[in-house]
Amino acid sequence: ITGSGSGTFKFGGVQFKVKDVDGGLIINSELQTVTKLNGTPAYAQVVIPTSGTLLPILKVGNNTVIIPADFTVSIVPNSGVLV
């Protein structure tokens, strides 16, 4: 995610908020990590889950994706089996 400020995102059935972003974040749902673009851990500072799942997981098929206007998103697929 690149951009600055705060916003609410939705990926599939997971909605979460980010706050005080300065430049961007890397969210890795497989590893359950969030870092700033410089590699500094950022989960506690900037990501607030608003659903039961902490980080987004896109499922096979169609997924709703909502991105605030002040941000851009690049999605890199991790192929694997969700257990």
Side-chain angles (χ1 to χ4, degrees), residues 30 58 74-80:
E30 182 178 18
L58 298 176
S74 295
I75 298 173
V76 177
N78 288 329
S79 299

Side-chain angles (χ1 to χ4, degrees), residues 1-38:
I1 296 174
T2 55
S4 297
S6 302
T8 300
F9 293 78
K10 184 173 184 179
F11 293 91
V14 177
Q15 181 173 315
F16 63 94
K17 295 180 182 180
V18 298
K19 65 177 184 173
D20 303 329
V21 175
D22 184 20
L25 300 172
I26 299 170
I27 297 175
N28 187 320
S29 296
E30 182 178 18
L31 298 177
Q32 293 289 295
T33 60
V34 178
T35 57
K36 295 179 182 179
L37 296 180
N38 67 6

